[in-house]
Amino acid sequence: LQPRIPDAWDGTILQRAVMVRGLHEGEEVNVVGGLYSGQRGRVISTTPRRVRVHIAQVGEKILMPSSIAPMDDVDEAEESDNPPEASADEAEEEEQEADEGESDGNEAEESSPDADADDDNTGRIASKADSSRSPSPQRTTGSAEDRSGLVFFVVVTLLSAFSLSGFVPGLPRASESFIYSGGGDLKGFFKDCFVSGKRCVITDGSLLSLGKGSAVSRVRNDLILQDNDKLKTCQGLENVTAVHGDVNVVRNPALSSLKGLENLVRIDDDINIVGNVHLKQIGALKGLVGRHPGDINLHGNPALGSLNGLGGITKVGGDFQCTNLEAITDLTGIQNLTDVDGSVRLVDNDKLTSFKGARIETIGQNFETSQNPKLEHIQEDALKSVGGALMVIDNDLLTSINFRALRHVNELVLVGNDKLVDTSGFQLLEKVEGSLVIENNAAIRDLQMEGTTTETSDFKRLRNIHGNLRVANNAKLRTVQGFMGLRTLGGNLEVVGNPSLAACGGFLTLSSVGGHLTITNNPVLGALGFPRLEVIGGSLTIGGSSTLETLAGLGKLREIRGDLVITGNDEMYSLDGTAIEMILGQIVISGNPKLNNVGALKTLKCHGGVKGHADDKETDFLPPTWLTKLPKC
C-alpha cells in the first residue's frame, strides 16, 4: 500500500484497518482522530476493541474510536471491475460483490461495541438469496463519510463471519457465501451461485425438493445442504458433475438418500455427511472413483446401514471417519480403499460387529477403534503401517485383535477392552516408534500363544520400542511372556497394578531401558525375568509385592543412572541375584520388614547416597557402615 506510512485511525477502527489494509504490529501509523490526532506512532498490539500504540514523546497509549481516515490508497487492482486476465466467472463474482457492498455499505456508520454485536447478527444474513442483479456500479471517490461507511461495512462483515455457527466445521462466512434460506427462484440461485466462486448454502426449513435443478454442471466452491427440515432427496442436482470445494450434507432430518448426486464424479475437498437422522444409504456417491483428496466424515446418521457408494474410492487424502452410526454392522462398501493419508476413526458405532469389508493397507496418521459396544473381533489382514497411534479403546465385547500384516506403528494403545483375551495378531510387528500401552483390559490373561518360546509370543518380531512400554491394571494378567524378542526400550518400562501377575519373565533379550524401570503394586509377583538387562537409564523401582523374595532375574544389571528404590515388599529378605556396579542416584530402601541381607550391593563402586530409616529398625532399612562409606558417583 502507498504511502509507506499509511494514515490510520485510532481505537477499534485502527484494529479493523489492520485487517482491511494489512497493517500489523510494529508498523508506523499516523493518528488522525482523538486527543493525539496528528501524532505519529507505532502499533504495539491489537485486540478486537483496543489498539496499543507507542506515540513519540508521549509513550504507550490505548486508543479508542473517534474518526476514520480516507482510503484513497486502497489497492486499485483488487477493486477493479475488469481485472487483467480475469475469467468471466470471476468478473461475475466481483460484480456481485460490488452489488452487495453498494446496497449495504451506506447503512453502516461509526459504531459502538453494542452496535458491533448487531452488525455481527446482520452478517449472518445471506447475500443474493433471491434478489435480481443490477449493473455493476462505477467506482467513485465520494465523500470521506461515504467511503468510511463502505469500509466499515466490509470490516464488520469480515468480523461477523467468525461468529457464524453450525455443523462441524461450521457454517461458512456470510461474506463468502450465497445462502438460500427460503423463497425466490431456486433455479436462479443455482445459476448465480454455482458459477460465482462462493460457497453455495441451501438451508430452508420449508423446502420440499430441489425442483428441476440446475443446468450448471460444476460448483466452484462448497455445496452445502443444511437444516432443510423437509428435503427428502438431492434430486435436482443431476447435472452436477464436479464440486471444487466441500460437499456438506448436514442436519436434514427428512433426507433418506442422496439420490440426485449419481453424476457427481469429482469433489476437491471434504465430504461431510452429518446428523441426517433418516438417511439410509449413500449409494449415489458411486461416481467417485480413485483418490479423494479431502476428508470423508460420516457422523451421527443413525439409519445409515452400509457404506455402499464409496466402493470406487481407492485412496483418501485426509481423514476417514465413521462415528456414531447406529445401524452399520460392518465395513462393507470400502473394499477398494487401500490408503488413507490422514486418520481412520471408527468410534461409537452401536451395531458394528466386525471389520468385514475393510482392506486398508496404510494409514498416515492415527487409527482409532473405540466405544463400539458390539464389536467382537478385529480382523484386518491387509493393514501394514500406521503412521500415528493405533488405538483400540473401550470396546466392551471385543475378544480378539488380529493385525496379521502390521509391521510398523508409531504407538500402540490397547486400553479398557473388558473381554479382550487374544492379542496374538501382532506377530509381524517389528518396531514401535512411540509407546506401547496395555492397560485396564479386565479379561486378558497372558501375552503369548500356547508355549513360552520366542516363536510363540504375541510380539515375537518386535525388537525396538522407542517410547514407553506400560502394562498396567489388567485384573487377570498372569504372565508377561509376549516380549521375548524385545532388545531395546527407549523410554520407561512400567509393570504396575496387575493383581494376578505372578511372573514378569518375558523380557529374555532386553539389554537396555532408556528411562525408568518400575515394577510396583503387583501383589503376587514372585519372579523377575530380565536376564540380559545391563543398563537402566533412569531409576529402578520394585515395590508392592507380597511374595517377591530376592532380585533374582537381574543378574547382568551393572548400571542404574537414577535411583534404586526397593520398598513395600513383605517377603523380600535379600538383594541377591544382582551385581550392580554403579548407582548414580540414591539408594532408597524402606518398608521391607524381612530384608536383612544387602550384601549383593558390595559389588558397587560408587553411588549417589543412601536413604534409610533408622527410627523403625523392624520394618525399615538401616544402612550398613560399609555402604555409607562407598565413594559418591
Side-chain angles (χ1 to χ4, degrees), residues 17-66:
V18 171
M19 298 177 62
V20 174
R21 302 179 61 193
L23 302 182
H24 52 79
E25 294 177 8
E27 185 162 359
E28 294 187 41
V29 295
N30 289 330
V31 180
V32 298
L35 181 62
Y36 303 104
S37 178
Q39 298 286 339
R40 176 173 295 185
R42 184 181 298 275
V43 177
I44 297 174
S45 63
T46 63
T47 68
R49 301 194 181 277
R50 297 287 187 272
V51 178
R52 184 182 295 274
V53 177
H54 184 275
I55 300 174
Q57 299 180 351
V58 175
E60 293 184 12
K61 295 295 178 182
I62 298 176
L63 304 184
M64 299 295 292
S66 61

Side-chain angles (χ1 to χ4, degrees), residues 14 27 55 116 147 149 169 207 235 274 527 530 535 561:
L14 180 57
E27 185 162 359
I55 300 174
D116 287 345
R147 281 175 278 130
L207 188 65
Q235 287 177 294
V274 176
F530 300 88
V535 178
R561 295 173 182 171

Side-chain angles (χ1 to χ4, degrees), residues 122-141:
T122 302
R124 301 171 191 267
I125 299 174
S127 62
K128 298 288 286 180
D130 58 355
S131 61
S132 62
R133 288 168 43 211
S134 60
S136 177
Q138 295 296 317
R139 186 174 184 271
T140 60
T141 56

Side-chain angles (χ1 to χ4, degrees), residues 65-119:
S66 61
S67 62
I68 187 166
M71 291 291 290
D72 293 336
D73 58 336
V74 172
D75 191 339
E76 296 280 345
E78 292 182 356
E79 294 189 355
S80 172
D81 290 323
N82 297 292
E85 301 181 7
S87 67
D89 288 343
E90 290 168 340
E92 182 180 27
E93 177 186 356
E94 293 185 4
E95 178 181 330
Q96 291 161 354
E97 291 173 344
D99 288 345
E100 295 166 21
E102 182 69 20
S103 62
D104 294 326
N106 292 332
E107 295 177 7
E109 296 293 334
E110 183 176 325
S111 73
S112 65
D114 291 336
D116 287 345
D118 292 337
D119 288 332

Side-chain angles (χ1 to χ4, degrees), residues 139-153:
R139 186 174 184 271
T140 60
T141 56
S143 67
E145 181 178 355
D146 290 339
R147 281 175 278 130
S148 68
L150 177 59
V151 172
F152 185 73
F153 166 76

Side-chain angles (χ1 to χ4, degrees), residues 346-349 352 369-375 394-396:
L346 305 173
V347 178
D348 197 19
N349 301 296
L352 183 66
T369 302
S370 64
Q371 299 175 3
N372 301 291
K374 292 189 177 180
L375 182 63
D394 293 338
N395 300 285
D396 295 341

